[in-house]
Amino acid sequence: MTQRLVKTRFAPSPTGTLHLGGARTALFNWLFARGANGKFVLRIEDTDRERSTEESVNEILESLEWLGLDFDEGPHFQSRRTEIYAAEVEKLLNEKKAYRCYCTKEELDAKRQAMQKAGKKPMYDRTCRDSGPNLGNEDTSSPHVIRFKTPIEGVTSFEDSLRGTVEIPNEELDDLIIRRTDGNVTYNLVVVVDDAEMGITHVIRGDDHLANTPKQVNLYKGLGYEAPKFTHVSLILGKDKKRLSKRHGAASVVDYREMGYLPEAMINMLARLGWGHGDKEVFTKQELVKLFTLDKITMSHAVFDHDKLDWLNAQHMKMLSDADLAERSLPFLHKKHPDARKDELAKLI
Ligand code: GLU
């Protein structure tokens, strides 16, 4: 097999602020691509039109720029790619790999409750899979969703660079909805279509997506694409071992910029959240590009320590020349002392 050009992507949903977990995902993808002389793609996953905002898109772009995580392709916007998704859904329907499901919400609720009562995992019972309108007479006017035919027997497996081969019995996987009644396609479908179409070779993302991966692997097969290699990175926790959030201080990347942290320190800190290289703590970006490998990512949860960020910031400040430090400090000083001058500040430093 010929080695494909390494291509990674950062695929944020623009529904809020870019938090540290997202920034770390972006960094790992960027480092891996740069270290392999590959390409890094930015894809804005804005299919949820109600929750996606332009403000959030701008914040993502600003944050990446501040951190110096440049992309070679994009930003692609999923909201502008609906025709591509529609064609793929059509293809699956034509090949009988997907079907229209006319079960009403009430029917589905009743089925779910019955399964729960019987102590079974609630799943769609596949009533519409091989019945009625799906046997020739396609009824496209009645309200319906489109479901993907997940294999009924056997196992679905995929390679995770940290976990090795992950296997899931197919009986645990549902016939997932790929298009809703309102015509909107769903996350699992679009992410597969995009990653395949954009030639993504390595997907590095949070382990909150681990349950989605087998569903996506089946979609890759159904659509006739090769699945990428996966790496699922553990969550970032606060010192109290709870999921990192605003309670632990700033949560967004721009907050740290506003507080005056150096992007170099932030990059160093993010890299050390779940990745390491021996006992080394202080890394420049160039060193990270050289040293970063996926197999050194830890499976255990990373803990964000604010004191460590302060310490790293001090280390990176020491690496700057006086003139550079003066230049970078000046905007902050100007907020209180509009007359402060760079040459004087440099002397003082
Ligand atoms: N848009 C998804 C998210 O922000 C990421 C999808 C992915 O990485 O596959 O959680």
Side-chain angles (χ1 to χ4, degrees), residues 50-69:
E50 257 156 42
R51 293 178 57 227
S52 300
T53 65
E54 206 178 306
E55 194 189 347
S56 172
V57 172
N58 291 336
E59 192 183 310
I60 290 165
L61 292 171
E62 247 180 64
S63 305
L64 293 180
E65 194 185 338
W66 181 64
L67 291 169
L69 304 180

Side-chain angles (χ1 to χ4, degrees), residues 9 11-13 43 45 187 191 195 203-205 208-209 216:
R9 47 61 161 190
S13 306
R43 183 171 75 228
E45 306 218 312
Y187 158 73
V191 87
D195 284 340
V203 166
I204 305 163
R205 61 184 173 196
D208 47 335
H209 283 289
Q216 294 175 10

Side-chain angles (χ1 to χ4, degrees), residues 47 60 100 106 136 167 242-243 252 260 263 275 304 311 313 330 339 345 348:
T47 46
I60 290 165
R100 298 178 203 274
E106 291 71 34
E167 290 191 333
K242 300 230 169 77
R243 192 178 177 158
S252 77
W275 176 86
F304 182 79
W311 181 79
N313 200 53
L330 207 58
D339 306 330
L345 184 59
L348 199 66

Side-chain angles (χ1 to χ4, degrees), residues 20 22 124 144 167 190 201 267 275 300 308-309 313 317 319:
L20 295 186
Y124 178 55
H144 64 276
E167 290 191 333
V190 294
T201 57
I267 288 279
W275 176 86
S300 52
K308 184 165 166 181
L309 175 62
N313 200 53
M317 278 171 77
M319 286 187 228

